[in-house]
Amino acid sequence: MDEDTRDELFHQAKKWVEEAGEIIRNKINDPLTIDTKSDAKDLVTQMDKAIEYFFVQRIKQEYPNHLVLSEEGYGDDVTSMDGTIWIIDPIDGTMNFVQQKRNFAISVGIYHDGVGEIGLIYNVIDDVLYSAKRTQGAFRNDVKLPKLKERLTLEKSMLGLNHYWLCDNRLVEGTEMQRLVRKIRGTRSYGSAALEFAFVAEGILDGYLAISLSPWDIAAGMVIVNEVGGVSTNIEGKPLHILEKNSVMTCHPAIHDQLIQEYIQVGKK
């Protein structure tokens, strides 16, 4: 993708993300219709569906040759990363949206022939937009994020962990995850993978480890983290498959290999 095309797509996507955020803020206190998907913890609301439809309708009208991979079913059946694909989570952190009315985000990643070109993560309630264009750096609103600090040890790291770590039998039965948690400076869990990717890029988390994330959870964040020098792999250190569910590690490069070793030791129990 050439720079002019990337810039045009970025400005259009940013405009739509901000418009969608305004819609959510204006309706945040309206009564919600709440349904479940895979289980009682997997929530979806009419707002998730409305915002996804908002994006799909505009993308298809403006860019009819582009494909959309999205969570709530209005997108395309994407089986290949060929061409230009928008990967969208209309509300990442739906449970937070429902119960807290904060700590959720709109996530939009744009990929071309498998390469992440644009990432946008919008913290709607705080009106903070994390964004990146490939090779042009990452931003928090209009402020460019610095590259991740050069020196970092695992002992001085703060990691985001999603709650599924507590449900993995290998971790519950063993002590390696407990040892890791005792070793690092601290852990946090915000309930939105997109925001946790953004926090790694910002440097307020040093890493994020999550089990079973979907493409729309990680697509935008991978682009943004990459632009500040971070790395994103599966939990064994292998490349992420963007069209599949993944166990994900995104982090400062200085702690990447050590974190993998901690996990591999767990896996051998």
Side-chain angles (χ1 to χ4, degrees):
M1 180 179 288
D2 62 64
E3 188 172 335
D4 288 342
T5 301
R6 190 187 303 120
D7 287 346
E8 178 205 332
L9 283 175
F10 176 84
H11 290 297
Q12 185 63 79
K14 180 174 180 288
K15 178 176 181 291
W16 288 338
V17 165
E18 291 172 341
E19 288 176 1
E22 185 67 17
I23 292 170
I24 294 173
R25 282 193 296 271
N26 287 340
K27 295 181 176 294
I28 190 72
N29 293 312
D30 288 0
L32 283 173
T33 301
I34 304 169
D35 297 314
T36 60
K37 293 185 287 187
S38 61
D39 57 45
K41 299 184 288 291
D42 190 5
L43 305 183
V44 61
T45 71
Q46 81 271 23
M47 185 62 75
D48 296 81
K49 296 175 181 178
I51 295 301
E52 182 169 304
Y53 185 74
F54 167 92
F55 279 108
V56 172
Q57 189 178 45
R58 283 155 179 78
I59 293 165
K60 292 299 185 180
Q61 182 175 354
E62 191 71 24
Y63 306 107
N65 295 325
H66 292 187
L67 296 178
V68 180
L69 176 60
S70 51
E71 183 170 14
E72 310 305 342
Y74 291 109
D76 300 291
D77 181 15
V78 178
T79 59
S80 164
M81 290 301 291
D82 294 342
T84 302
I85 303 172
W86 298 58
I87 306 177
I88 297 173
D89 195 336
I91 298 179
D92 184 75
T94 299
M95 190 178 297
N96 291 349
F97 170 70
V98 170
Q99 297 207 193
Q100 301 176 347
K101 300 188 187 301
R102 65 186 67 244
N103 298 323
F104 63 89
I106 298 170
S107 178
V108 176
I110 303 177
Y111 282 63
H112 182 73
D113 290 339
V115 176
E117 298 284 355
I118 292 166
L120 297 160
I121 295 172
Y122 188 32
N123 184 338
V124 174
I125 297 303
D126 292 343
D127 191 25
V128 174
L129 177 65
Y130 298 89
S131 65
K133 291 181 280 185
R134 185 172 63 86
T135 75
Q136 297 183 38
F139 292 79
R140 184 187 189 274
N141 290 335
D142 296 325
V143 178
K144 190 170 185 177
L145 295 174
K147 294 289 186 178
L148 297 178
K149 57 188 178 183
E150 293 183 7
R151 296 183 180 180
L152 180 69
T153 63
L154 198 55
E155 290 80 1
K156 294 182 179 179
S157 300
M158 182 177 288
L159 302 181
L161 300 173
N162 74 357
H163 71 276
Y164 290 107
W165 287 104
L166 301 176
C167 304
D168 189 304
N169 288 335
R170 291 169 300 178
L171 308 181
V172 172
E173 293 169 1
T175 61
E176 296 299 328
M177 184 53 64
Q178 294 178 16
R179 186 171 67 84
L180 174 60
V181 170
R182 290 192 182 104
K183 187 173 194 174
I184 62 179
R185 180 164 281 171
T187 64
R188 297 292 183 270
S189 182
Y190 294 92
S192 165
L195 285 180
E196 302 209 48
F197 266 84
F199 294 160
V200 171
E202 189 176 357
I204 59 177
L205 284 178
D206 299 303
Y208 173 54
L209 286 75
I211 294 174
S212 191
L213 294 186
S214 297
W216 40 81
D217 297 317
I218 66 175
M222 287 173 61
V223 179
I224 297 171
V225 168
N226 186 64
E227 285 299 306
V228 296
V231 292
S232 301
T233 67
N234 72 13
I235 211 69
E236 296 176 346
K238 298 176 182 177
L240 292 165
H241 298 285
I242 196 65
L243 294 182
E244 301 175 3
K245 279 200 168 187
N246 292 272
S247 293
V248 173
M249 173 166 52
T250 186
C251 63
H252 191 294
I255 62 173
H256 181 259
D257 289 348
Q258 195 172 354
L259 281 171
I260 291 171
Q261 292 304 315
E262 297 286 353
Y263 180 82
I264 289 172
Q265 290 179 46
V266 171
K268 289 180 179 178
K269 291 291 181 181

